[in-house]
Amino acid sequence: MISCLHPAIFWQKLKKIPTRQMIHFYSKILSSTLNSILSWAEKRLLSYHDTFHTGNIETMQSVASLGVLSAKILAEDISHEYHRKKKEADVLRSRVDTYIRSSLRAAFGQKLEKLDSSKQLSKIQSNPVSTLSILAQDTSKLAFHEKGMFSPILKKWHPLAAGVAVATLHSCYRNELKQFVGGISELTPDAIQVLIAADKLEKDLVQIAVEDSVDSEDGGKSVIREMSPYEAETMIANLVKSWIKSRVDRLKEWVDRNLQQEVWNPLANKECFAPSAVEVLRTINETLEAFFLLPIPMHPVLLPELMTGLDRCLQHYVFKAKSGCGTQVTFMPTMPALTRCSAGSKFHGVFQKRKSQVIQRKKSQVGITNGDNSFGIPELCIRINTMQRIRMELGVLDKRTIAHLGSSKSSQVDVIENGMGMKFELSSATCVEGIQQLSEAVAYKVIFHDLSHVLWDGLYIGDVSSTRIEPFLQKLEQYLEIISSTVQHDRVRTRVITDVMKASFDGFLLVLLAGGPSRAFSRKDSDIIEEDFKFLSDLFWSGGDGLPAELIDKFSTTVRGVLPLFRTDTQNLIEQFSRLTFESYGSSAKSRLPLPPTSGQWSPNDPNTLLRVLCSRNDEVAAKFLKKTYNLPKKL
């Protein structure tokens, strides 16, 4: 009402107002004016991304100055009455902090709304994945735009202006990402795309925050703590690990199911190796290809887990492929008890019984030689081929894997060069062991099982000159032809035939030294024995087309060392045996010669070997010595 009076009257009335009321009056007018100014400024500053741009950015300095100055004056008045201890800098910093967070939330919301309604993305409106990937890129651009245009102005009142901005954007995007992650159940390219975009965004935001806080008091720790990690890389790694486990589990189930149905017969396998192995290798190759096509940045880190899983699946395949096929020990006969030969007795009854057994044994072999038996020699050879094929393909897969790593975008060069966990080491070693086991199984099955009727039950039974090695060689040659035509790889074929040769030499010695009472040898039989062994060796040499002569010589050393014993005079044999026994047992052997144990390691210097030669010696001197020393009967 005073302001409506005549000026002269107004001033007269005004002079009569007490000073205290006058100050209050002016304060209210000033406060009202400052609040109006602050409201006007904050209307622009709380959404400064909509207000200011490149064309008018210079006016932001003035508007911000008006806003913070008004806030400062008003805060001084308020602090005088209510918050005396509050510092001026905190007031200014708090106001600017509010402007930054409010404006960036609004800008982020506009970006999100624009993406949701954009005509450009109308075709994928039902797919929020691509929207989140683009949103991450847009958010990163927004952050760098903030840092370059607005933060330098606002930093005058807030030392961590850029840090607060990126922390706000980090929180906004995390809310959207959290909803998306909650709906992820399996690894998909779209899921990886979003998580990688989120990871890149987070790295950009953190980098801006760190650079902005170099000169701050706390080094920006308060802002960094506010940015709870997305852990996108961890989520990607967990999804990939789940993907790996699923692929490996399916492959193992496939191996178990298909190996039960596998046919190892070469007539059904024209390629002479198992089709299931080809399928397993193809699946492994496709899995590796799919892994390297995943758009992830940590291939070298996760590859060892995938390789280990695939390696164990393949190792499982090899284990099952050789399961139940036996080993060398499986087919090696038990060493017969030490007995005296039946010298001077034809023993017709027993001999006739053995002959009938021979006929029966021959009939039982038919299924094996024609491939009807799943564990016959041809089938075992197919298994060997299969393991060799796997072993060769593993080398190709190893090289291909290293090449993939070399062309990947990973910066972990040391992991790539080291190559640890990047190769199929378990299955490769298992293939080597499996080939060795099956090769020995083939060899000892041929000699001690399939051809037992002509070797153990036929060679040198009764009259030596009429039961020579020729029938055995004829049958053995047939098996060598089967092996040669079935085993594909040259080196593996040589190994199998070498093992057959070793087994045949072992069988030959077993007949001579542990052939039981049905075999008796005189010194004159030594020529026949040596000639038969030459025939056996020549079978493997095959006129130079078979095994190398030096290889035959190497493995025939033991036989060639023992054969001269059958030519040696009986008395000399007894003396040599006694001397070696004394040397082995010392004073305990003076009163009575102990019976030397059977080691199976035949040698002309082994007492047990000499004793077995004496036991099979068909003469009176040997018979008397054995009767006197060990009470072995002269005749059985």
Side-chain angles (χ1 to χ4, degrees):
M1 297 295 295
I2 294 177
S3 61
C4 297
L5 298 175
H6 189 275
I9 299 174
F10 172 76
W11 284 111
Q12 289 178 1
K13 294 284 187 180
L14 194 62
K15 290 177 182 179
K16 294 179 181 181
I17 297 175
T19 303
R20 183 182 294 274
Q21 293 182 13
M22 183 68 74
I23 293 173
H24 180 68
F25 175 73
Y26 283 133
S27 177
K28 289 182 66 176
I29 294 176
L30 178 61
S31 178
S32 177
T33 303
L34 289 173
N35 276 316
S36 297
I37 295 172
L38 181 61
S39 177
W40 177 86
E42 286 195 334
K43 184 177 181 180
R44 287 150 181 79
L45 293 172
L46 288 171
S47 58
Y48 57 78
H49 282 85
D50 294 333
T51 307
F52 305 104
H53 47 80
T54 307
N56 67 353
I57 188 64
E58 66 278 356
T59 62
M60 183 180 180
Q61 176 84 32
S62 302
V63 175
S65 296
L66 276 175
V68 296
L69 182 59
S70 300
K72 173 185 174 182
I73 295 172
L74 289 171
E76 286 176 348
D77 181 53
I78 295 173
S79 65
H80 182 73
E81 294 182 29
Y82 305 104
H83 304 285
R84 298 178 183 275
K85 295 183 180 181
K86 188 167 183 64
K87 298 180 180 179
E88 176 186 312
D90 290 340
V91 175
L92 301 181
R93 180 169 175 169
S94 175
R95 302 301 297 186
V96 173
D97 190 286
T98 301
Y99 302 153
I100 295 171
R101 295 183 186 276
S102 173
S103 186
L104 283 165
R105 288 192 188 100
F108 181 87
Q110 291 172 5
K111 295 284 185 185
L112 182 59
E113 184 179 354
K114 183 179 179 181
L115 285 174
D116 287 339
S117 60
S118 174
K119 294 182 179 179
Q120 183 181 357
L121 300 175
S122 60
K123 294 181 180 180
I124 54 172
Q125 283 180 350
S126 60
N127 184 2
V129 174
S130 297
T131 301
L132 280 178
S133 299
I134 297 172
L135 180 62
Q137 298 171 14
D138 290 350
T139 303
S140 181
K141 293 177 183 178
L142 180 61
F144 282 108
H145 178 67
E146 174 77 16
K147 176 188 176 185
M149 180 173 286
F150 301 115
S151 295
I153 296 173
L154 299 174
K155 198 174 182 68
K156 178 179 179 181
W157 299 283
H158 197 308
L160 297 175
V164 170
V166 296
T168 303
L169 291 174
H170 187 275
S171 175
C172 290
Y173 189 83
R174 183 178 63 241
N175 292 335
E176 303 300 322
L177 182 64
K178 185 177 180 180
Q179 297 179 34
F180 168 75
V181 170
I184 296 177
S185 59
E186 62 180 2
L187 180 69
T188 63
D190 289 338
I192 294 180
Q193 180 185 358
V194 169
L195 292 173
I196 289 178
D199 186 62
K200 184 180 184 305
L201 169 63
E202 185 170 52
K203 286 181 170 64
D204 290 343
L205 298 180
V206 170
Q207 179 185 353
I208 293 173
V210 171
E211 291 175 353
D212 184 58
S213 61
V214 172
D215 299 326
S216 65
E217 293 180 1
D218 68 346
K221 292 180 180 178
S222 58
V223 173
I224 299 298
R225 279 197 297 267
E226 187 180 336
M227 301 168 69
S228 301
Y230 294 157
E231 296 184 343
E233 284 193 353
T234 301
M235 285 188 279
I236 292 173
N238 290 337
L239 286 173
V240 175
K241 288 179 179 179
S242 177
W243 179 87
I244 289 172
K245 184 178 184 303
S246 175
R247 291 292 186 102
V248 169
D249 288 346
R250 286 206 304 266
L251 181 57
K252 187 175 183 299
E253 291 174 3
W254 187 96
V255 168
D256 287 335
R257 184 173 61 255
N258 282 269
L259 269 184
Q260 292 177 357
Q261 305 168 2
E262 185 59 87
V263 178
W264 301 98
N265 192 315
L267 297 177
N269 295 284
K270 295 181 180 179
E271 300 295 331
C272 285
F273 52 79
S276 58
V278 177
E279 190 65 21
V280 167
L281 291 168
R282 184 189 63 79
T283 303
I284 288 175
N285 184 55
E286 289 179 352
T287 303
L288 286 170
E289 293 284 348
F291 173 77
F292 283 108
L293 286 175
L294 294 176
I296 59 175
M298 65 281 287
H299 283 118
V301 176
L302 297 173
L303 179 61
E305 185 163 345
L306 174 61
M307 292 292 285
T308 298
L310 296 177
D311 198 12
R312 287 177 178 168
C313 280
L314 205 47
Q315 184 187 39
H316 179 64
Y317 178 94
V318 177
F319 274 139
K320 289 186 74 69
K322 69 176 185 175
S323 176
C325 294
T327 63
Q328 173 182 339
V329 176
T330 304
F331 299 103
M332 192 73 176
T334 303
M335 186 69 68
L338 184 67
T339 58
R340 176 81 176 100
C341 71
S342 55
S345 173
K346 295 296 182 181
F347 235 81
H348 294 290
V350 175
F351 185 76
Q352 289 297 326
K353 182 180 179 181
R354 283 186 172 272
K355 190 173 182 179
S356 65
Q357 289 176 340
V358 170
I359 296 171
Q360 185 179 1
R361 293 285 294 278
K362 282 184 177 181
K363 289 181 179 179
S364 66
Q365 303 303 312
V366 175
I368 295 176
T369 55
N370 64 18
D372 293 336
N373 189 319
S374 61
F375 295 101
I377 299 306
E379 288 72 26
L380 292 177
C381 290
I382 295 295
R383 294 174 192 254
I384 291 174
N385 287 342
T386 301
M387 292 180 191
Q388 179 62 20
R389 174 64 178 264
I390 292 173
R391 186 184 175 195
M392 294 171 66
E393 287 297 321
L394 287 181
V396 176
L397 286 174
D398 286 340
K399 292 178 181 178
R400 193 174 297 161
T401 301
I402 298 300
H404 276 305
L405 284 174
S407 61
S408 69
K409 297 179 181 179
S410 174
S411 59
Q412 295 174 301
V413 181
D414 55 334
V415 176
I416 298 173
E417 290 180 350
N418 187 17
M420 292 298 292
M422 309 297 180
K423 296 183 178 181
F424 293 90
E425 296 176 350
L426 290 175
S427 50
S428 181
T430 305
C431 282
V432 173
E433 295 171 0
I435 291 172
Q436 177 181 347
Q437 174 188 326
L438 293 181
S439 178
E440 293 175 350
V442 165
Y444 283 80
K445 184 178 189 300
V446 166
I447 302 302
F448 294 102
H449 181 268
D450 294 8
L451 297 183
S452 176
H453 62 286
V454 286
L455 178 69
W456 190 253
D457 294 338
L459 183 61
Y460 304 144
I461 294 289
D463 182 29
V464 172
S465 62
S466 60
T467 53
R468 296 186 61 174
I469 203 169
E470 183 61 29
F472 173 73
L473 296 181
Q474 291 175 355
K475 294 291 185 181
L476 179 56
E477 186 173 14
Q478 295 174 10
Y479 277 92
L480 292 177
E481 290 176 356
I482 293 172
I483 293 170
S484 297
S485 61
T486 309
V487 179
Q488 296 177 316
H489 194 271
D490 292 342
R491 291 180 60 184
V492 177
R493 186 189 311 116
T494 299
R495 181 195 181 110
V496 176
I497 293 176
T498 300
D499 282 339
V500 174
M501 179 181 69
K502 290 165 58 179
S504 68
F505 290 172
D506 287 347
F508 189 74
L509 275 180
L510 202 64
V511 166
L512 296 178
L513 300 175
S518 297
R519 290 179 172 90
F521 303 102
S522 63
R523 290 179 60 192
K524 66 179 181 179
D525 293 328
S526 61
D527 291 334
I528 294 175
I529 295 172
E530 291 176 5
E531 186 177 37
D532 281 351
F533 181 69
K534 183 179 183 304
F535 292 154
L536 178 59
S537 301
D538 288 346
L539 176 64
F540 292 98
W541 184 60
S542 188
D545 294 331
L547 297 177
E550 57 272 16
L551 195 63
I552 298 173
D553 289 340
K554 175 184 176 182
F555 291 106
S556 63
T557 301
T558 301
V559 183
R560 287 186 284 107
V562 171
L563 289 184
L565 297 178
F566 288 85
R567 185 183 295 276
T568 305
D569 179 72
T570 303
Q571 190 59 46
N572 290 339
L573 276 177
I574 294 172
E575 292 174 359
Q576 186 178 355
F577 168 74
S578 301
R579 177 176 56 79
L580 289 173
T581 306
F582 280 130
E583 290 176 357
S584 300
Y585 296 95
S587 58
S588 61
K590 289 182 178 180
S591 58
R592 182 179 178 85
L593 289 176
L595 192 66
T598 301
S599 65
Q601 302 298 316
W602 311 124
S603 164
N605 296 316
D606 170 49
N608 182 257
T609 302
L610 293 170
L611 180 59
R612 287 181 176 271
V613 173
L614 287 171
C615 286
S616 64
R617 180 61 60 87
N618 186 10
D619 65 26
E620 282 296 320
V621 177
K624 290 180 179 179
F625 171 78
L626 294 172
K627 173 64 178 176
K628 178 181 179 182
T629 308
Y630 299 111
N631 198 31
L632 291 178
K634 290 184 179 182
K635 293 183 180 181
L636 293 179

